Amino acid sequence: MCLTTQNKTLSKVSGYSFWNFTSMMAIKFAYSSVVFIVFIYLTVASNELYDILGVHKSASSQEIKKAYKTLAREWHPDKNQDPSATDKFTKINEAYETLSDPQRRADYDNYGYTSAQEQQRNPHAHPGRGFHPFDDFFSGGFGSFRFGGRESVSMEKFLITLRQYESKMHPRSHQSPCFIYAFSDFCFDCMRIEPVVFKFMTELDAVGMCVGAVHLRRSPGLASHLRLHTAPYLLAVVSGRITYYKNSAISFHLLRDFVKKLFPAGTLTTITDDNFEEFVSGWKDNRVRAIFFSSKEEPSMRFLAPAFAHRDRIASGYVYTGSANVLKLLRQYNVNKHRETMLLWNEIPHQTLASISMQQLSRSTIDEVLASNRYLALPRLSSQSVFEELCPQEPKVKKRSLCVTLICKKSESHDEARISFREFAQNSPLGSERIRFTYLYEDTQQNFVKALTKGNQTRSQTILEVAILWRTDTRKLSYEFVPHGWSLDPQYSPQSRQQLEKRLTELLRGDALLPYRATVPEFYNEHMLGLMTRILYRLVDWYDRVYYYCTSYDGMTLLTALAAISFIGLLTLSMKKLAADEMEQLKKDKMARKAQKRPPSCSADNQTIHLYELRYDTFQNLVAEADTGLTVTLLVDEHSKTKLMRKFAEIMQPFSRYSALTFAFLQLEYYLDWYRHLLELTMDFKVTLENINNRNCIGSVLAINGYRKCYYIYHPKRARRWMRKEHGKNITKAVGFGDSDSDSASDGGTREENVLFEEELLAGLSIWMDRVFDGSVKKVRLPYWPEMSK
C-alpha cells in the first residue's frame, strides 16, 4: 500500500516536471521567434531614415546636413501648403536628429532606433547613455534570459569617456588609485561578475577613491588607449601607470586585496612602541606625522586613500590597537583601543598637533583634518609646489601675502638658528594668513638664492640672511633682506626678533613696497626620486606592457610576430654585414691605391727626366689606380718616337720638379683601338671612328687624371690650323684623323719626319701646359677608363 502511494506521488512529480520543462521550452521558442522577427524588422526598416533624406546609407555628415537643409526649406509648413507638409517636415527633422549624431546613427544602424523613440521611452535618460532595443521585452518577467543591455544600467553613473579619463581620471591617479571596470553588451561574464564589481565600486566611491567604467562599444577610443580588447576586464591606474587584474576569480575579498596592493609599500608605516620615536622624529623630511589607530589588524582603505593623497606633505603610520607592542603608546596618548583615532605631530614630538577620535572616522573628516595641518610650524621651501602653496601669488599691495624666509645651510651649526626662528614664528603676534614663516637650504637651492643675492655671498658665519618675499607673478617677486639678519648668537637673538617684528609691522600696516625685484627659477625638488629608482620604475612599466601584449594574443599570433621580428632582425644584420664588408673592401682598395705611389718624374738630381711607356701592363699604375695627379702622355709611332720624345723631354724638363706629374708615351700602332674607344666615349658614341689614321694623331698629348676620371687633350699645331680653316664643321677632322687629310697624303715621308715633327707638332705644348695649370683648358670627363688589351 505504501509502495503504491509512493509510485503515484512520483508519477505526479514526474508529470509536473515534464509539463514544466515543456512550458519552459515553449517560452524559449517564443522568445527566439520574437527576437528573430524583431531583428528582421529592424534590418528591413534600417534604411527608412536615409530614404526620407534621400541619401545613401554610407553618406557623410556633410551630405546629410546638405540634404536636410534642402528638404527643410521645401517642406516647411509655413512655405508649403501641402496638407502632408507638417507630417513630412516632422519626419525630416527626426531623420536629421538621428543621423546627424554619430552615436544615435550607430544605434539606428544596429537596432533601427530613432531619436523620437528614445525621448518617448526615457525622456530623462542620460545624454551619453546608449539605447538597447530589447530592454522592454527582457524586463517583463523573463529574468532567466537577461542580456547585457539591461544589466549594465547600474554602471551608468560610473561611465567615463576618453576626454574624462585624460582630463580628470589620469591626473587624479596621482592622488588616488583609480579602479576601472570594462564591460560590453551581450556579455554573459559581465552579467555574472557585475553585482560584485558594482558593490565594490560603490564602496570605493564612498571612501573617496577614483572609480570608472568603460563601455567598449560606446568608447572605442578609451578602450584602445587602455589596451582593452575583450570584456569583462578590471584594471587600475596609479600615478599614471596601468595595472591589470590578472586573477581569473572575482570576489569582493580578492578585489579589495588587488586595490590595497596598488598603494606603495610606504603609504602606511606599521607603528609600534619600538619605532614610534623614530617615526615621529623624522620630520626633517619636511612632512607632518600622522598616525591612525584602529582595532582592525589590516588598515582600511579609508586610511590608505587619504594617506596616499597627502603623502607629499604628511607621512602616515598605522597602529593596530590589538597588538601587544603598542600598549605604552596607547597609555601615553590615552587612546581608546575600541575607537578609531588619528593623531598628528609636527616638530615637537611630545606634543600632538591635532587629534580626533570617533567610532568610525569618515574620509571627509580625515581629509579635513589633514588639509588643515599639512605643514610644520616652520616648513622648508623644498619644492616649487611647496613654495607656491606657502607663498601664494598676489599682485595687489593690500592683499599681498609675505613669505619670511630664513636662508641657512644643512649643517648642524645652524640648528640653533632654526629652532629660535621657529619659536619666533610660533609665538609672534604677527602670525596671520598674510605672513608665513619658512626656511630654505642655501646649499640645496643655490639657483634661487643666487637670483636674490645677484650672485653675491650671503653674510658671515654669525649672521644668517632673512628675506621677506612677495610674489607678484609666477616667476617674479619683490623682496628685501632684513638689515641685521638673524643672529646665531643667543645673546643677540632678542635684537634680531625685535627688528624683524618691527619691519613686518610696518609692511602689514602700510603700503610700502619692497625695494628689490627678481625673476627667480623653479625650486629644486628635494623629494624627487633618484635616477636609478626612476629607471627601475620605467623598466617595470615596460615589463608590464610586454607581459600584457604577450598574454593578450594567442600563440600563433605571437609566433608570427616573433618570426617577423626575427626575420627583420636577421635581414638587418645581413645588410649591415654586407655594408661592413663593402666598406672594408673599399678601405682596402683605397689603402692599396695609396700604397701605389706615382712613379718619379725625374732623377734625384733633377737632371734626367723619366719617360714611361703606357701599355697594358703599366696602365693600372699610370692611369686606372694612379693617385691624384696628371700622367702627361705623348702619342707617337715607331718612325716618330725618337725625335718626338727628345723634343717632348726638352719641353717637360721645367715641369719635372712637380711630384704630381708623371711623363709617358703611347705607341699608337699598338693601342690605336684604345685611343679610338677613348675618343668615341668622349663624344658619347655619337660618332664612329672606324677609319682613324694614326699618323694624323701623332704629336697629340693627353694629360690624364686617372683618379678623377678626366683628361686634357693637346692637338698638334697642324691640327689647330686645319680647325681654323674648316671652322670646326667636321669634329673628326678637327682632332686630326680621317683619310681625307690632304696634308698627310701629299707631302711625303721626308718632310713629315724632318720638318713637321720638330717645328710644328709640339710647338705650343709649353704654353698649353701653363694653361692646364691655370684652369683655362677644357677638362674632358669620362664615366670610366677603357681597358687596354695586349
Side-chain angles (χ1 to χ4, degrees):
M1 185 70 178
C2 294
L3 179 60
T4 307
T5 305
Q6 185 179 8
N7 288 337
K8 288 182 180 180
T9 304
L10 287 175
S11 299
K12 291 180 180 179
V13 173
S14 299
Y16 174 77
S17 301
F18 172 76
W19 286 110
N20 185 41
F21 174 76
T22 306
S23 301
M24 293 300 294
M25 290 300 297
I27 291 172
K28 288 185 178 181
F29 177 76
Y31 157 74
S32 302
S33 302
V34 171
V35 170
F36 178 75
I37 294 171
V38 171
F39 176 76
I40 295 297
Y41 168 75
L42 295 177
T43 303
V44 173
S46 61
N47 291 329
E48 183 181 357
L49 297 187
Y50 293 99
D51 294 338
I52 291 174
L53 293 180
V55 295
H56 192 266
K57 194 171 183 178
S58 60
S60 64
S61 300
Q62 293 297 329
E63 292 173 343
I64 292 173
K65 187 175 182 180
K66 183 178 179 181
Y68 167 72
K69 287 183 177 180
T70 303
L71 292 173
R73 283 194 298 267
E74 179 184 352
W75 290 98
H76 196 283
D78 294 340
K79 298 180 180 180
N80 196 318
Q81 302 303 322
D82 193 316
S84 61
T86 303
D87 237 8
K88 184 73 173 175
F89 186 74
T90 302
K91 291 182 179 179
I92 292 171
N93 279 331
E94 180 184 349
Y96 178 70
E97 287 178 4
T98 302
L99 300 182
S100 61
D101 183 86
Q103 185 60 53
R104 290 177 177 175
R105 183 177 179 180
D107 289 338
Y108 175 73
D109 290 341
N110 294 328
Y111 311 116
Y113 189 60
T114 67
S115 60
Q117 290 169 332
E118 180 181 1
Q119 294 172 2
Q120 293 170 5
R121 170 178 169 78
N122 189 2
H124 304 290
H126 191 279
R129 176 181 171 183
F131 162 69
H132 306 283
F134 303 119
D135 282 0
D136 288 333
F137 182 78
F138 294 150
S139 61
F142 290 96
S144 302
F145 308 106
R146 292 175 297 178
F147 279 77
R150 189 60 177 174
E151 286 295 307
S152 63
V153 172
S154 58
M155 289 295 170
E156 291 292 332
K157 71 173 184 176
F158 297 127
L159 280 179
I160 58 172
T161 62
L162 178 59
R163 179 175 296 180
Q164 290 172 335
Y165 173 81
E166 292 177 340
S167 61
K168 296 181 180 180
M169 182 167 283
H170 189 271
R172 190 179 172 186
S173 68
H174 295 273
Q175 303 298 324
S176 172
C178 293
F179 182 83
I180 299 176
Y181 166 59
F183 67 100
S184 184
D185 291 329
F186 304 103
C187 170
F188 290 97
D189 287 335
C190 298
M191 289 190 299
R192 179 176 56 84
I193 70 171
E194 192 167 293
V196 178
V197 175
F198 178 74
K199 180 181 177 183
F200 181 69
M201 293 175 68
T202 304
E203 180 182 290
L204 293 181
D205 188 43
V207 299
M209 289 191 62
C210 174
V211 292
V214 181
H215 194 292
L216 299 186
R217 183 180 61 81
R218 300 184 207 172
S219 302
L222 179 56
S224 176
H225 183 80
L226 297 176
R227 305 190 292 275
L228 301 174
H229 305 288
T230 59
Y233 223 102
L234 301 173
L235 65 146
V237 183
V238 187
S239 299
R241 290 184 63 249
I242 299 175
T243 303
Y244 297 95
Y245 182 83
K246 299 171 183 177
N247 196 335
S248 58
I250 301 289
S251 69
F252 201 88
H253 177 71
L254 292 175
L255 292 177
R256 183 176 293 173
D257 289 343
F258 169 68
V259 173
K260 283 187 175 181
K261 290 179 181 179
L262 298 174
F263 293 96
T267 302
L268 277 180
T269 304
T270 302
I271 304 298
T272 62
D273 290 337
D274 300 329
N275 65 348
F276 168 73
E277 293 293 339
E278 179 185 357
F279 176 77
V280 175
S281 301
W283 56 267
K284 289 187 178 180
D285 64 359
N286 204 32
R287 293 191 295 172
V288 174
R289 263 43 191 175
I291 297 181
F292 298 95
F293 296 81
S294 176
S295 58
K296 296 180 179 179
E297 188 171 357
E298 293 293 329
S300 169
M301 277 187 284
R302 286 183 292 105
F303 302 148
L304 283 168
F308 181 80
H310 297 272
R311 67 190 183 282
D312 292 339
R313 306 287 180 264
I314 300 174
S316 301
Y318 181 77
V319 173
Y320 168 48
T321 57
S323 173
N325 295 330
V326 297
L327 298 178
K328 178 182 176 182
L329 180 58
L330 296 179
R331 285 194 303 268
Q332 181 179 354
Y333 290 96
N334 194 24
V335 176
N336 187 342
K337 63 168 57 179
H338 301 294
R339 294 171 65 88
E340 293 183 346
T341 304
M342 181 177 67
L343 303 179
L344 279 77
W345 288 265
N346 56 11
E347 300 97 321
I348 307 174
H350 61 272
Q351 181 180 350
T352 57
L353 177 63
S355 64
I356 183 172
S357 180
M358 299 176 65
Q359 192 68 35
Q360 185 176 24
L361 292 173
S362 65
R363 173 66 190 273
S364 59
T365 303
I366 295 173
D367 282 334
E368 183 179 353
V369 175
L370 294 180
S372 302
N373 301 276
R374 286 168 55 83
Y375 290 102
L376 301 171
L378 184 67
R380 184 172 75 252
L381 300 180
S382 55
S383 67
Q384 184 66 22
S385 59
V386 174
F387 177 60
E388 291 176 354
E389 289 181 20
L390 294 177
C391 307
Q393 175 184 328
E394 178 53 63
K396 296 181 180 180
V397 177
K398 293 184 178 180
K399 295 183 179 180
R400 64 184 172 182
S401 298
L402 300 178
C403 213
V404 185
T405 305
L406 175 70
I407 301 176
C408 57
K409 294 185 178 179
K410 280 186 177 180
S411 61
E412 295 181 359
S413 60
H414 289 184
D415 285 347
E416 289 297 329
R418 285 190 287 269
I419 293 174
S420 61
F421 194 75
R422 182 180 299 110
E423 292 175 353
F424 171 75
Q426 289 178 311
N427 301 322
S428 174
L430 300 175
S432 66
E433 295 181 357
R434 295 183 59 191
I435 291 184
R436 196 63 186 257
F437 294 93
T438 63
Y439 74 99
L440 62 81
Y441 287 143
E442 179 183 356
D443 39 4
T444 304
Q445 307 295 343
Q446 295 180 4
N447 294 333
F448 185 86
V449 175
K450 284 181 180 179
L452 298 181
T453 60
K454 310 299 182 184
N456 299 321
Q457 295 292 327
T458 53
R459 305 196 190 215
S460 64
Q461 296 289 334
T462 59
I463 301 291
L464 298 181
E465 296 283 9
V466 176
I468 302 176
L469 310 178
W470 168 31
R471 287 186 66 210
T472 57
D473 202 347
T474 306
R475 290 284 183 272
K476 296 179 181 180
L477 54 81
S478 296
Y479 69 98
E480 72 173 27
F481 290 104
V482 177
H484 299 283
W486 193 265
S487 177
L488 291 173
D489 190 349
Q491 182 179 353
Y492 296 100
S493 292
Q495 298 179 7
S496 299
R497 298 185 184 195
Q498 291 175 5
Q499 293 167 359
L500 178 56
E501 188 172 339
K502 179 181 177 181
R503 181 54 182 158
L504 291 176
T505 303
E506 293 174 356
L507 292 173
L508 287 177
R509 293 180 179 178
D511 296 337
L513 299 177
L514 299 179
Y516 305 106
R517 289 187 177 88
T519 301
V520 294
E522 281 195 2
F523 272 80
Y524 170 73
N525 188 359
E526 300 176 14
H527 313 287
M528 184 171 54
L529 295 175
L531 177 62
M532 295 305 299
T533 306
R534 283 179 283 163
I535 292 176
L536 180 62
Y537 280 170
R538 180 63 64 182
L539 292 176
V540 171
D541 184 51
W542 288 346
Y543 167 78
D544 287 342
R545 290 173 180 267
V546 172
Y547 179 83
Y548 168 78
Y549 282 117
C550 291
T551 56
S552 298
Y553 299 97
D554 58 279
M556 184 57 67
T557 304
L558 290 176
L559 288 176
T560 304
L562 289 175
I565 294 173
S566 302
F567 175 75
I568 294 173
L570 291 175
L571 184 62
T572 303
L573 291 176
S574 302
M575 296 299 292
K576 289 181 67 176
K577 178 65 176 174
L578 291 175
D581 292 344
E582 186 176 356
M583 185 62 68
E584 189 67 24
Q585 187 61 37
L586 290 175
K587 287 182 179 179
K588 289 181 180 180
D589 294 343
K590 190 173 182 179
M591 293 299 295
R593 179 177 293 179
K594 288 183 177 179
Q596 296 180 0
K597 295 183 178 179
R598 181 176 290 277
S601 58
C602 62
S603 60
D605 56 3
N606 203 22
Q607 298 298 318
T608 305
I609 187 172
H610 296 313
L611 288 180
Y612 303 93
E613 183 176 4
L614 180 59
R615 56 190 183 187
Y616 73 92
D617 55 345
T618 62
F619 177 75
Q620 297 295 325
N621 194 23
L622 293 177
V623 176
E625 296 181 357
D627 58 1
T628 183
L630 294 177
T631 302
V632 185
T633 305
L634 173 66
L635 305 186
V636 298
D637 62 2
E638 190 63 34
H639 298 290
S640 61
K641 179 169 66 173
T642 304
K643 295 181 180 180
L644 280 178
M645 288 174 59
R646 186 181 297 110
K647 184 67 175 178
F648 180 71
E650 292 176 1
I651 297 174
M652 292 295 111
Q653 181 64 39
F655 301 99
S656 62
R657 65 179 181 273
Y658 299 112
S659 60
L661 294 180
T662 301
F663 305 105
F665 66 93
L666 175 71
Q667 289 195 223
L668 281 174
E669 60 265 31
Y670 302 133
Y671 297 103
L672 184 61
D673 290 339
W674 177 84
Y675 184 54
R676 183 175 66 243
H677 190 174
L678 178 70
L679 296 175
E680 290 178 348
L681 180 61
T682 301
M683 295 179 285
D684 295 330
F685 297 100
K686 296 178 180 178
V687 178
T688 303
L689 306 175
E690 296 178 353
N691 300 320
I692 186 171
N693 188 342
N694 65 327
R695 291 182 60 80
N696 291 337
C697 302
I698 293 171
S700 297
V701 177
L702 302 177
I704 302 172
N705 189 331
Y707 182 77
R708 299 187 182 278
K709 291 185 177 62
C710 64
Y711 71 93
Y712 307 89
I713 186 169
Y714 164 79
H715 299 296
K717 185 177 181 181
R718 181 170 55 84
R720 292 198 302 275
R721 186 186 308 120
W722 198 93
M723 289 170 63
R724 288 193 296 271
K725 179 179 179 182
E726 297 293 331
H727 303 289
K729 293 180 181 179
N730 192 329
I731 190 171
T732 60
K733 294 182 179 180
V735 295
F737 31 74
D739 292 337
S740 61
D741 195 330
S742 59
D743 292 341
S744 64
S746 60
D747 292 339
T750 304
R751 185 175 180 278
E752 274 188 18
E753 294 177 5
N754 297 333
V755 181
L756 181 63
F757 294 158
E758 296 179 0
E759 296 181 358
E760 296 185 8
L761 293 182
L762 303 178
L765 182 59
S766 178
I767 299 174
W768 180 81
M769 286 293 293
D770 291 336
R771 292 176 60 201
V772 169
F773 287 139
D774 63 27
S776 60
V777 177
K778 183 179 179 181
K779 183 188 299 183
V780 181
R781 294 191 178 275
L782 298 174
Y784 62 89
W785 289 112
E787 291 290 337
M788 272 190 172
S789 57
K790 293 184 180 181

